[in-house]
Structure formats: C-alpha cells, structure tokens
Amino acid sequence: MTPEGENAVRSQCRKCVAEIRQVMKARPKPKWNIVVPPILDKHYQKIAAIGIDKLGFISKIGRMQGRYGVES
C-alpha cells in the first residue's frame, strides 16, 4: 500500500473510533452489537476502493488503539 493510502486508512480509522466513542457516551448506554456495526460499515465504505478488506480495517483500528499486536 502506498503511503498516501496508508494515511487515508489511518485517518478513517481515527474518525471511526471517535464516532464510536461519541455514540457510546450516550445514556442509557446503547448495546455495542447494535450501534457499532453500522458505524464500521459507513467508515469502511469510504476506503474500500483503496484495497483494504473489512477485517484488515477492523484489525488496523485494534492495533492503533493498542488492543493487540504491533504496527507492522
């Protein structure tokens, strides 16, 4: 992937995480499995043409948030 593509993916990951955090702050707290998949789909659609698959997008979000693994 080119550096420009990588930057676009990382930018979209940050926007997705920010939106998820904003939605999850609501009270009463919404159910994760109802709220999050549509947000992931919305943000993934914006970068699907770059050539990253959806699982790769979700994994990138996890690595950026320190959930698992390291940047490779």
Side-chain angles (χ1 to χ4, degrees), residues 24-72:
M24 294 306 289
K25 284 183 183 178
R27 297 290 177 217
K29 192 169 186 176
K31 294 197 182 290
W32 178 269
N33 289 333
I34 295 172
V35 174
V36 173
I39 295 172
L40 289 172
D41 290 339
K42 178 177 82 171
H43 289 279
Y44 172 70
Q45 291 303 318
K46 295 179 183 178
I47 59 163
I50 293 177
I52 188 170
D53 61 338
K54 190 172 182 182
L55 183 59
F57 176 65
I58 293 169
S59 295
K60 183 71 152 177
I61 291 172
R63 284 192 302 274
M64 287 176 64
Q65 297 301 309
R67 298 286 181 182
Y68 61 89
V70 294
E71 286 287 328
S72 51

